[in-house]
């Protein structure tokens, strides 16, 4: 059994998303001792910013005219897709940054998406079990002053569920900046409750991920 794990936090030592991801991973490993975890840290080892353009333009370029950059982009996109296709389960930890999708995660998706096995007509990922862990510095739920400011989670759900067809579970932890940003001190108790709930949800998601049939 193989778990593919992607991390996108730029601050690994204090990352709330990685900490929740660790809980998911541990539950999966407890159920599948000795199994492999294939890791890709797109913050520490980012996808080159030009790779998506090179891969796309390579599709309109005769093989004998491909540049070295285009060949490298095609080889990388194949590795990215292989990691997903070869895995029995998928774990993604992607924090909200500046109210939007992490640029590192977006570059990863864009390049992998050019592989014909997982493009709009591809079926290689349909039904594969996956967990998305996402964390938010504030709280953008319905009824909050900044309702609708989270432009990451909805996009991620759309591309992972509707485009790739993953059997997706989402674990969310809001208010991770409570204790960091003094303006949020009034929400200390609420943040603590939300953290506990997210940790419980992560463990549940890990058990479900481990029990799912690939």
């Amino acid at each position: 059994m193989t778990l593919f794990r992607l991390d996108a936090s730029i601050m690994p030592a204090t990352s709330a998303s990685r900490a929740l991801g660790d809980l998911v991973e541990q539950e999966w490993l407890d159920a599948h001792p000795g199994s492999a975890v294939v890791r890709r840290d797109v913050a520490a080892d980012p996808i080159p910013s030009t790779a998506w353009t090179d891969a796309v333009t390579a599709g309109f370029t005769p093989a004998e005219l491909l540049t070295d950059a285009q060949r490298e982009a095609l080889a990388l996109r194949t590795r990215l897709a292989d990691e997903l296709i070869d895995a029995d389960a998928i774990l993604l930890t992607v924090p909200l940054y500046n109210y939007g999708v992490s640029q590192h995660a977006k570059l990863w998706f864009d390049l992998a998406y050019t592989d014909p096995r997982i493009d709009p007509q591809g079926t290689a990922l349909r039904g594969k079990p996956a967990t998305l862990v996402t964390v938010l510095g504030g709280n953008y739920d319905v009824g909050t002053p900044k309702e609708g400011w989270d432009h990451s989670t909805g996009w991620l759900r759309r591309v992972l569920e509707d485009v790739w067809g993953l059997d997706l579970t989402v674990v969310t932890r809001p208010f991770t900046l409570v204790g960091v940003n003094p303006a949020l001190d009034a929400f200390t108790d609420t943040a603590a409750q939300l953290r506990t709930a997210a940790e419980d949800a992560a463990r549940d998601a890990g058990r479900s991920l481990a029990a799912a049939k690939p």
Side-chain angles (χ1 to χ4, degrees):
M1 299 288 286
T2 300
L3 174 69
F4 170 73
R5 174 170 175 171
L6 177 138
D7 292 296
S9 171
I10 62 173
M11 302 180 70
T14 58
S15 171
S17 60
R18 290 175 192 253
L20 288 174
D22 289 345
L23 296 177
V24 176
E25 179 183 324
Q26 189 58 57
E27 293 291 340
W28 192 87
L29 287 173
D30 286 348
H32 303 291
S35 294
V37 179
V38 175
R39 305 179 189 279
R40 181 166 288 277
D41 187 335
V42 293
D45 185 18
I47 305 300
S49 61
T50 57
W52 176 71
T53 301
D54 289 330
V56 170
T57 57
F60 302 94
T61 304
E64 66 275 12
L65 298 179
L66 290 173
T67 66
D68 289 342
Q70 287 174 317
R71 292 190 183 91
E72 290 171 2
L74 292 175
L76 179 55
R77 74 100 184 264
T78 299
R79 289 198 299 275
L80 300 184
D82 283 345
E83 289 171 350
L84 293 165
I85 293 168
D86 293 344
D88 297 292
I90 295 170
L91 168 61
L92 310 171
T93 74
V94 184
L96 172 76
Y97 283 144
N98 298 324
Y99 311 111
V101 183
S102 155
Q103 64 168 325
H104 300 101
K106 182 66 163 56
L107 283 166
W108 167 80
F109 172 83
D110 285 344
L111 182 58
Y113 190 40
T114 65
D115 188 292
R117 294 169 294 172
I118 55 176
D119 72 3
Q121 286 74 47
T123 60
L125 300 181
R126 302 289 174 191
K128 192 180 290 283
T131 296
L132 167 67
V133 170
T134 187
V135 301
L136 309 94
N139 190 347
Y140 312 106
D141 287 344
V142 175
T144 62
K146 289 188 175 179
E147 175 185 343
W149 284 47
D150 173 9
H151 297 287
S152 174
T153 307
W155 182 87
L156 287 166
R157 294 197 74 130
R158 178 56 56 87
V159 299
L160 297 173
E161 286 185 305
D162 298 338
V163 177
W164 278 349
L166 297 175
D167 182 8
L168 188 69
T169 297
V170 180
V171 176
T172 305
R173 179 188 160 194
F175 272 152
T176 59
L177 286 180
V178 171
V180 178
N181 182 350
L184 299 176
D185 285 350
F187 302 104
T188 298
D189 291 343
T190 299
Q193 295 169 4
L194 291 171
R195 176 175 182 169
T196 298
E199 290 171 347
D200 290 343
R203 294 187 185 95
D204 289 342
R207 289 189 285 269
S208 296
L209 193 66
K213 294 183 178 180

